Amino acid sequence: MDDVATPAAPDTSDGGVARRLATGVIVLGALVGLWEGYKWLWQTAGWTWPFAVDDVTMPHLYKVVEAFWQPTTTGGPPLIHSLLSATWFTGKEALAGFLLGALIGFLIAVVLSQSRLLERGLVPYIVASQTVPILAIAPMVVVGLGSKGVAGWKAVAILAAYLTFFPVAINTLRGLHSVDPRAVQLMHSYAASRWRVLWHLRVPASVPYIFTALKISATASVIGAIIGEAPASIQNGLGGAIVNFNQYYSLEPTFLWATNVVCAALGIVFFVAVAVTERLVLRGAPENIA
Amino acid sequence: MSQSSDTVVSISDVSKSFRTGVTALQGISLNIRQGEFVSLIGPSGCGKSTLLRIIGDLVQPSAGAVIVNGKSAEQARLDHDYGIVFQDAVLYDWRTVARNVSLPLEMLGWDRTKRRARVKEMLELVELTGFESNRPWQLSGGMQQRVSIARALSFDPALLLMDEPFGALDEMTRERLNMELLQIWEKARSTVVFVTHSIPEAVYLSTRVVVMSARPGRIAGVIEVDLPQPRTAETREDPRFFEHVTAVREALAGGGQMSKSAPEIF
């Protein structure tokens, strides 16, 4: 349990934590500088191409930060209050969707890997599933499950899973096929069953592929949860907040920007959680294991 | 084909054609006795690796039959009669050295205590004690190949099938591993079928060298190597060693049509 406190293993490759922290600060500073510099230059020079810059299209970043502490209604709690509870709500949807989607994606890959015919027959439909916009599916899922008495956030989790399963299925399938044919021949020479070849060879060999997919899916599940809230008419999440602040954008643009920052932060938290897990699981693996 | 009681492998009239129309092997017949060290040597494309895989039931022959220990090759595979070593070690990166060696034992359902004892014994045999918890990629190519040999021998297979196991190693490592392999063979008393494209390696290691020719793969000649056992570093300097090397080279060149060349040139 002691190890949990040190998820980021000491980075021996490029100069340790301090250096990485410094790089992060410099990059952030540069981005802030670019934003404010662009805003200042375009406003001072009066340029209108590619778009006119004012406090509505590009509010000052310090104002966005300030917005967190402003009440959204007169005398109400500060914005950060409602955003945190919305983040918790959407985070729950996204996490449930992520886990469900990852599990489904993994199982689909395992089943397809067992038969070339099945793989050739079904992969096109799996790909096709991702060309249908989530907005088109959302009403069916939300209304369909709603009529069965399923809570709205669970329907949104399923929409998040819909975006999550795809990268996991495709990458896992590739990982399961990635094994050295001679490693399979070795297993044959031990008279190992198909199940054991899968469990002792193909699945462990695909773990690096699965993590690559999970990192893509981690952010996709957050997007799925946020977007799914709109057609589900869920007000308690970040999607609800975005829809709400959209309507008041010209009056108070900083609220929407602040919400965007929180959405990005949630996505980053998901991504980092997967990346840290990957490091722990593949600890000691060579760099060249992709 | 007559079969004496100590025959381990009996290959009768085996042919192999691929769907592309290429005939890899044609009319191969060969008996391998218990305790023999048989090398298959020939130019690339002569089907020597294919023949090894047919013996190990990893490839099916188009015609002919392979009997191993009185059983079909398939039954022999199901009975765990084969230990296989490839040109690359083919170790599992996610397993430690010890867990790589114990992989076949896990597949055979050995219990943990038995596995641990055997892994220790095998790592001693290939002189890798102390590397139990290392990962494969932390070892040199030669050490990896020794792990692979330990893995292949861990469950006492009747037959060790080796497909150019030292082909990817440098010459010095290769000669050292040749010697170690012979010591292991002495101790384990197993039967070895060894594919190589190195003439000195084949002569040094083998009790018998099977010379193959290409397109289609056929047996061009069989050379008994009656150099004294155990073989040592001096064996390589024995004039009779060179005579055998020459004999194998001539068989490779087309069944002794070449004039006898000076033995020291190779």
Side-chain angles (χ1 to χ4, degrees):
Chain A
M1 287 306 280
D2 299 343
D3 294 348
V4 179
T6 54
D11 189 338
T12 48
S13 60
D14 71 295
V17 179
R19 193 160 156 186
R20 294 177 66 180
L21 208 64
T23 314
V25 169
I26 290 167
V27 170
L28 189 64
L31 289 174
V32 169
L34 271 175
W35 175 282
E36 291 293 342
Y38 180 90
K39 180 177 160 68
W40 177 82
L41 189 61
W42 259 246
Q43 279 186 317
T44 314
W47 291 335
T48 55
W49 190 91
F51 58 87
V53 175
D54 56 32
D55 284 345
V56 173
T57 53
M58 288 180 80
H60 281 294
L61 289 175
Y62 68 85
K63 289 212 164 142
V64 173
V65 176
E66 271 175 14
F68 282 112
W69 314 107
Q70 286 165 10
T72 49
T73 52
T74 342
L79 174 65
I80 184 129
H81 204 269
S82 60
L83 280 187
L84 281 181
S85 83
T87 305
W88 178 252
F89 186 87
T90 302
K92 189 177 61 177
E93 294 167 341
L95 181 64
F98 174 73
L99 296 176
L100 183 67
L103 182 68
I104 291 172
F106 178 78
L107 291 178
I108 287 178
V110 166
V111 170
L112 295 191
S113 73
Q114 296 303 302
S115 154
R116 283 272 170 197
L117 195 68
L118 214 56
E119 185 183 336
R120 273 189 215 146
L122 288 184
V123 164
Y125 293 97
I126 292 173
V127 174
S129 78
Q130 298 299 303
T131 65
V132 180
I134 192 167
L135 278 172
I137 295 165
M140 303 171 223
V141 175
V142 173
V143 174
L145 288 176
S147 69
K148 300 258 175 209
V150 176
W153 76 267
K154 286 184 185 162
V156 175
I158 286 171
L159 290 175
Y162 186 80
L163 289 189
T164 301
F165 94 93
F166 179 72
V168 176
I170 297 295
N171 260 27
T172 306
L173 190 56
R174 192 165 164 216
L176 293 171
H177 287 320
S178 74
V179 297
D180 188 331
R182 293 168 305 178
V184 180
Q185 291 181 341
L186 274 178
M187 291 300 262
H188 281 308
S189 78
Y190 310 143
S193 64
R194 187 174 260 252
W195 168 249
R196 284 190 143 173
V197 175
L198 182 71
W199 188 245
H200 289 280
L201 175 61
R202 292 193 187 275
V203 169
S206 62
V207 166
Y209 292 82
I210 294 174
F211 272 111
T212 303
L214 288 181
K215 279 191 268 188
I216 299 167
S217 294
T219 49
S221 66
V222 172
I223 302 273
I226 290 171
I227 294 185
E229 284 173 8
S233 301
I234 286 178
Q235 304 291 321
N236 328 18
L238 288 171
I242 288 175
V243 170
N244 186 25
F245 295 136
N246 251 328
Q247 293 162 0
Y248 302 106
Y249 185 76
S250 48
L251 293 174
E252 195 47 88
T254 54
F255 282 172
L256 186 62
W257 280 105
T259 310
N260 290 349
V261 169
V262 170
C263 291
L266 182 61
I268 290 169
V269 166
F270 267 63
F271 182 89
V272 169
V274 174
V276 167
T277 313
E278 178 184 32
R279 262 192 122 122
L280 290 174
V281 171
L282 296 182
R283 185 174 33 196
E287 292 292 325
N288 57 11
I289 287 194
Chain B
M1 179 174 287
S2 70
Q3 211 175 310
S4 60
S5 58
D6 65 346
T7 301
V8 175
V9 183
S10 167
I11 303 165
S12 29
D13 210 21
V14 158
S15 298
K16 175 69 185 174
S17 314
F18 290 106
R19 250 178 280 173
T20 51
V22 176
T23 305
L25 294 168
Q26 198 170 60
I28 303 278
S29 292
L30 181 70
N31 275 344
I32 298 170
R33 293 181 303 276
Q34 162 63 34
E36 266 199 293
F37 195 123
V38 173
S39 285
L40 307 177
I41 192 168
S44 49
C46 73
K48 52 193 189 295
S49 287
T50 305
L51 181 57
L52 191 84
R53 281 167 165 75
I54 287 174
I55 297 173
D57 191 42
L58 297 173
V59 169
Q60 304 308 311
S62 309
V66 175
I67 305 291
V68 177
N69 283 335
K71 302 168 281 198
S72 69
E74 187 190 7
Q75 192 55 49
R77 178 174 64 79
L78 296 176
D79 290 350
H80 311 111
D81 282 353
Y82 302 116
I84 298 179
V85 179
F86 293 110
Q87 178 166 0
D88 301 310
V90 195
L91 301 174
Y92 291 8
D93 273 338
W94 54 89
R95 284 177 171 246
T96 61
V97 165
R99 297 243 303 134
N100 265 288
V101 176
S102 83
L103 174 74
L105 307 179
E106 285 171 39
M107 298 301 114
L108 267 61
W110 288 31
D111 66 53
R112 190 180 291 267
T113 334
K114 249 180 106 186
R115 289 203 307 255
R116 195 171 293 163
R118 176 52 66 91
V119 167
K120 185 168 181 287
E121 195 184 318
M122 294 319 295
L123 288 179
E124 271 166 26
L125 184 69
V126 298
E127 292 172 11
L128 280 175
T129 305
F131 290 92
E132 288 82 359
S133 23
N134 282 79
R135 297 290 179 137
W137 40 268
Q138 294 174 316
L139 307 183
S140 70
M143 288 160 93
Q144 289 182 12
Q145 200 54 285
R146 272 146 60 192
V147 176
S148 153
I149 292 170
R151 177 181 61 189
L153 291 171
S154 63
F155 54 101
D156 283 326
L159 193 56
L160 186 58
L161 303 177
M162 306 182 87
D163 190 4
E164 295 188 36
F166 309 133
L169 304 176
D170 63 85
E171 196 61 33
M172 274 154 64
T173 310
R174 184 182 190 138
E175 288 195 0
R176 203 183 63 240
L177 285 183
N178 280 175
M179 264 201 280
E180 283 178 19
L181 176 61
L182 283 184
Q183 284 159 12
I184 290 167
W185 173 64
E186 290 267 312
K187 278 187 228 164
R189 281 278 132 230
S190 52
T191 309
V192 182
V193 183
F194 188 97
V195 168
T196 180
H197 53 238
S198 161
I199 301 171
E201 182 174 68
V203 171
Y204 180 72
L205 291 173
S206 311
T207 54
R208 204 146 56 109
V209 178
V210 174
V211 178
M212 296 178 67
S213 63
R215 281 176 273 277
R218 285 200 187 121
I219 294 181
V222 177
I223 290 145
E224 299 279 342
V225 185
D226 51 0
L227 295 170
Q229 302 278 2
R231 295 185 187 157
T232 60
E234 285 76 57
T235 306
R236 291 185 194 275
E237 284 144 30
D238 188 330
R240 299 205 42 236
F241 174 77
F242 294 106
E243 281 170 26
H244 283 97
V245 167
T246 306
V248 172
R249 177 170 297 110
E250 286 178 355
L252 275 170
Q257 288 159 10
M258 255 172 61
S259 63
K260 239 183 159 49
S261 55
E264 58 275 350
I265 300 167
F266 72 118

